[in-house]
Amino acid sequence: MMRMALAFLVTACLAASAAAAEEPSVTRITFPNGLRLLVRPEPGRGLVALTVVVRAGALEEMETPGVGQVLARVLLTGARNLSERKLARLVDEVGGSFSVTWDPDYTEIYVSTTSAQLRAAMELLAETLIEPRLDAARIAEARQQVAEDAREAARNPFRAGYDRLVSMLHPGRPYGRPLLADPARLEQITPEQVQRFLEDWFVPSNMVLAVVGDVSVEQVRDAARLWFGRLRPSATPERRPPSAPPPPSSGPAILEMESGVTYVLAGAPASGLRSREYATDCIVAAVLGGGKASRMFQQIREEQGLVYELGTLYPPLLYHSHVVAYALSPAYLPAGFRDADPSFEQVRAALKASVDSLAQSPITDAELTRARNYLTGTYALRHQRLQERSKHLAWFEAMGLGWEFDRLFPEMLQSVTLEDVRRRARELFERSAIVVVVPRE
């Protein structure tokens, strides 16, 4: 099933990985058509993960929001040389792990299987990407599916609040759009527009294929040449980086929804992956809301008992990102938690005070150390899965950072000084916005 949710929200930000000396080596091969192949053999388990990252996301949709999302959904339905019966057989052969993820910066196609099914998995990926079926009926069905996902997201109080906040932090820019396009706009997307998006952006020089698992470099190279070598070479499309967002509009914005909870979200523009400040901003976000030893948890939950869910989000967007601090308070707290239900004004004031503490109470050396350790552990846990290891190699390479970014980031974290985090802590929320989601009376 396609994972078109806010996949980048499941982690606060990137962090450290295992020591480079302990990591298997990575081989990079560039084919004549421009496709880049990364292979990291990890013998012994009999499993393999294949990830293709195409440098095409919301940034490339331009004046047609949703066209890439519709294409991503269609990729799961078959290809001209792959009937529905053969597609089902191939998916069964590779173990059923076949998915597509849509992101503001890229599209990801992923397959995991046993090493014995490497060629079948390669065929599945290649046929899906080379000539997907883009007839009117499939496009219409994909539009309906994405539109239903968008309507469901709009009914979710956190997603609605987050989307509103992001639109305030990135006004008039692709990063400021909801991840899922407006259903009314989706209805206007034609098969011709989807075909044009495919031809413009899904070209071999704009793709990276990463394979990690119990395979040899030679096996992967030969299978990739057999199936992806048929892709015709094409000039690498030019991506236009979005301009830096202006200061956010003043708030707060109040959303009333049919919900039994209150959400308060405070956000501020932050560095993108390409920025030298990215590692510093990761640490500041972790100090504020990463884990139970963070300032937010200690100040809001432990000292005041106002909420039972809180934290920070820092999506790893390429050019310009944002840090979001959020707190959830139910409309009716469980008996015994506190004598009185907090109003959203109390929660908002507590969240604002915690955010303001970054500038008013300098980050300590102990907080810096804890934040580094927290980020290191989070990232190490995510890298336990083959899928994540192959995804990160392909992702960083496709984004122009190089696959080595995954290995070098720990050094970047360690190089951040106490002076760096204190400076960014003072600067980060100088330009901020607040959204409050409350139950409709």
Side-chain angles (χ1 to χ4, degrees), residues 4 13 51 69 106 190 211 217 285 307 309 319 359 371 384 399:
M4 294 186 67
C13 69
T51 302
Q69 300 163 41
Y106 60 87
T190 66
V211 181
V217 173
V307 299
E309 182 181 329
Y319 297 102
Q384 287 183 336
M399 294 302 100

Side-chain angles (χ1 to χ4, degrees), residues 37 48-54 75-76 78-79 82 87 90-91 94 97-100 108-113 117-132 202 207-211 223-224 227-228 230-231 390:
L37 170 66
V48 64
L50 302 85
T51 302
V52 174
V53 170
V54 184
L75 291 178
L76 292 172
L82 205 62
L87 172 65
L90 279 175
V91 172
V94 302
S97 298
F98 175 45
S99 63
V100 179
E108 173 196 342
I109 306 94
Y110 162 76
V111 176
S112 67
T113 184
Q117 295 298 327
L118 172 65
R119 289 206 170 208
M122 200 73 76
E123 178 186 5
L124 178 60
L125 280 177
E127 293 291 1
T128 296
L129 288 165
I130 292 174
E131 287 190 290
F202 281 59
M207 298 178 184
V208 175
L209 166 61
V211 181
W227 292 107
F228 282 91
R230 295 180 297 130
L231 277 167
S390 67

Side-chain angles (χ1 to χ4, degrees), residues 219-283:
Q219 285 176 305
V220 177
R221 179 199 61 203
D222 293 346
R225 181 186 291 128
L226 174 66
W227 292 107
F228 282 91
R230 295 180 297 130
L231 277 167
R232 289 178 293 182
S234 181
T236 305
E238 181 181 357
R239 166 175 269 184
R240 299 177 184 176
S243 58
S249 57
S250 59
I254 309 295
L255 298 182
E256 293 188 3
M257 298 187 65
E258 298 293 341
S259 171
V261 298
T262 294
Y263 270 107
V264 181
L265 303 95
S271 304
L273 271 171
R274 303 197 316 168
S275 171
R276 294 182 179 180
E277 301 279 21
Y278 180 73
T280 306
D281 287 359
C282 276
I283 291 175

Side-chain angles (χ1 to χ4, degrees), residues 60-79:
E60 283 63 54
E61 290 184 322
M62 303 298 184
E63 304 304 319
T64 317
V67 63
Q69 300 163 41
V70 171
L71 173 59
R73 183 61 66 103
V74 172
L75 291 178
L76 292 172
T77 67

